[in-house]
Amino acid sequence: MESNDTETRRTKGLPFTRLGLGCAQLGGLFEPMAEADALALVDAAWDLGIRYFDTAPYYGFTLSERRLGAALRARPRDAYLVSTKVGRLMRPDATVRPGECGWAAPLPFRPHYDYTHDGILRSHEDSLQRLGLDRVDILYVHDIGRVTHGERHAHYWTQLTEGGGFRALEQLRAEGAIKAIGLGVNEWEVVADALDVCALDCVLLAGRYTLLEQASLAPLMDRCARAGTAVVIGGPFNSGILAGTNKFNYEDAPAAVVERVRTIAAVCRAFDVPLQAAALQFPMAHPAVVSCIPGAQNIAQLCQNAHWFDEPLPASLWAALRRAGVLDPNAPVPAA
């Protein structure tokens, strides 16, 4: 059942499989996932050759980390990469209810933002305990940014910079406790800000460099390529709008986005290409990108993603998308 997903792209000595697994669904994003199904999903990803797994304390309010660790614990530790995130401390809270923050059946822990030096170190240690692993390979600062925090952004940004959050990450990297540091965000602008103050190894950018939108191309993606900062593509379907749902940025898609997707879909149909295949393959052409990590709600969806990821696509498709005005003329495109 193995495919080209086993091909790796190396950065900072880390072998990323081109296709990874985003593990938000292990935490029950929008829909519940049974424990046995979560473990089977990771096993199926392994059988497909996937060796990069991304999780976070926030996913299912610690549920995803616990399940991923259980699924990987018997595997040879040097055979895979795990990334998790810092920026939220999870505190016990019996008032947590099903459906909070989109998690169908979250565990009784409530997130509290903390980007300080001590908060980062505590978050890292807590994640190791939940995962049951002796190390994680990559730590991403989770959901820092103006869109996320609004008027509180300056406060949290100060925690990360003057408050020593970045210093804690650099300390962990220097000690060898982790191999790489970065940001895991939905906003490309804050990544550009972070690159001015910290030597990031990699970035997990969700939804901001996709077949639907490429505004980050020149100001960030090309900058990362020049600097040797690896980019992991999260949210390649823009929360589902590129995979057949009406969700964009986790909400109902606005009319302008729906219309743009209709144009993209029409071009794909003209070439008898699944829209999802084009969405998964497009960002991989950029030289900064090392992996794409769509999630999956079940094994069938996981296998379908892997098939779309490897499906041969005609070079003429990309030219047609450019003519339709939905693809940046400077964006690198996959070779046929």
Side-chain angles (χ1 to χ4, degrees), residues 9-334:
R9 295 185 177 183
R10 288 184 174 270
T11 184
K12 312 297 181 182
L14 296 174
F16 289 87
T17 45
R18 295 171 61 250
L19 185 63
L21 181 65
C23 295
Q25 274 82 0
L26 268 62
L29 182 61
F30 303 133
E31 297 182 12
M33 179 176 286
E35 186 87 9
D37 292 340
L39 300 181
L41 184 67
V42 176
D43 285 344
W46 190 276
D47 290 342
L48 284 167
I50 291 171
R51 297 293 184 271
Y52 173 44
F53 304 88
D54 174 73
T55 184
Y58 181 59
Y59 298 162
F61 293 0
T62 77
L63 184 57
S64 175
E65 282 190 326
R66 297 171 192 275
R67 287 175 163 178
L68 180 63
L72 291 176
R73 204 163 298 138
R75 307 281 187 181
R77 183 59 191 89
D78 291 336
Y80 58 87
L81 297 182
V82 169
S83 56
T84 192
K85 305 182 182 76
V86 294
R88 291 180 176 94
L89 292 178
M90 308 301 298
R91 298 173 183 166
D93 189 334
T95 69
V96 169
R97 293 292 178 263
E100 287 198 33
C101 301
W103 306 111
L107 294 182
F109 298 88
R110 191 170 297 282
H112 295 265
Y113 289 114
D114 190 332
Y115 298 93
T116 65
H117 179 275
D118 290 350
I120 298 297
L121 295 181
R122 172 65 185 273
S123 182
H124 170 247
E125 184 174 335
D126 287 352
S127 287
L128 293 180
Q129 294 282 351
R130 289 187 290 262
L131 287 161
L133 301 176
D134 64 342
R135 71 178 190 275
V136 294
D137 301 289
I138 305 162
L139 276 184
Y140 295 118
V141 178
H142 202 188
D143 288 341
I144 190 76
R146 290 176 178 83
V147 174
T148 300
H149 294 302
E151 63 182 18
R152 296 284 286 169
H153 170 69
H155 170 74
Y156 292 123
W157 184 252
T158 299
Q159 286 187 350
L160 193 56
T161 53
E162 298 173 21
F166 277 136
R167 188 172 72 252
L169 289 169
E170 292 169 336
Q171 172 187 332
L172 289 168
R173 183 176 60 186
E175 293 171 349
I178 57 177
K179 296 179 181 178
I181 63 174
L183 263 60
V185 292
N186 297 283
E187 309 171 38
W188 68 261
E189 295 88 347
V190 75
V191 179
D193 292 341
L195 287 170
D196 290 335
V197 297
C198 184
L200 303 181
D201 301 299
C202 46
V203 173
L204 199 176
L205 186 63
R208 300 288 80 84
Y209 186 71
T210 68
L211 190 61
L212 180 60
E213 55 177 285
Q214 303 101 44
S216 63
L217 176 62
L220 180 67
M221 298 296 295
D222 293 349
R223 178 181 178 184
C224 286
R226 292 191 299 270
T229 302
V231 176
V232 174
I233 297 295
F237 299 132
N238 283 101
S239 301
I241 189 71
L242 291 176
T245 78
N246 194 49
K247 294 295 183 182
F248 173 74
N249 285 352
Y250 308 105
E251 299 178 351
D252 290 340
V257 169
V258 172
E259 186 57 34
R260 187 175 179 88
V261 171
R262 283 179 181 150
T263 301
I264 296 170
V267 173
C268 288
R269 281 196 303 273
F271 286 85
D272 197 24
V273 165
L275 173 59
Q276 298 93 330
L280 286 173
Q281 293 185 35
F282 162 72
M284 297 304 299
H286 196 283
V289 174
V290 294
S291 188
C292 181
I293 55 167
Q297 292 178 337
N298 51 56
I299 292 174
Q301 194 174 90
L302 172 70
C303 293
Q304 181 65 77
N305 285 343
H307 175 75
W308 282 327
F309 191 76
D310 285 336
E311 185 171 340
L313 303 183
S316 50
L317 169 70
W318 312 110
L321 288 167
R322 283 179 171 147
R323 287 194 301 272
V326 292
L327 196 60
D328 190 304
N330 296 313
V333 296

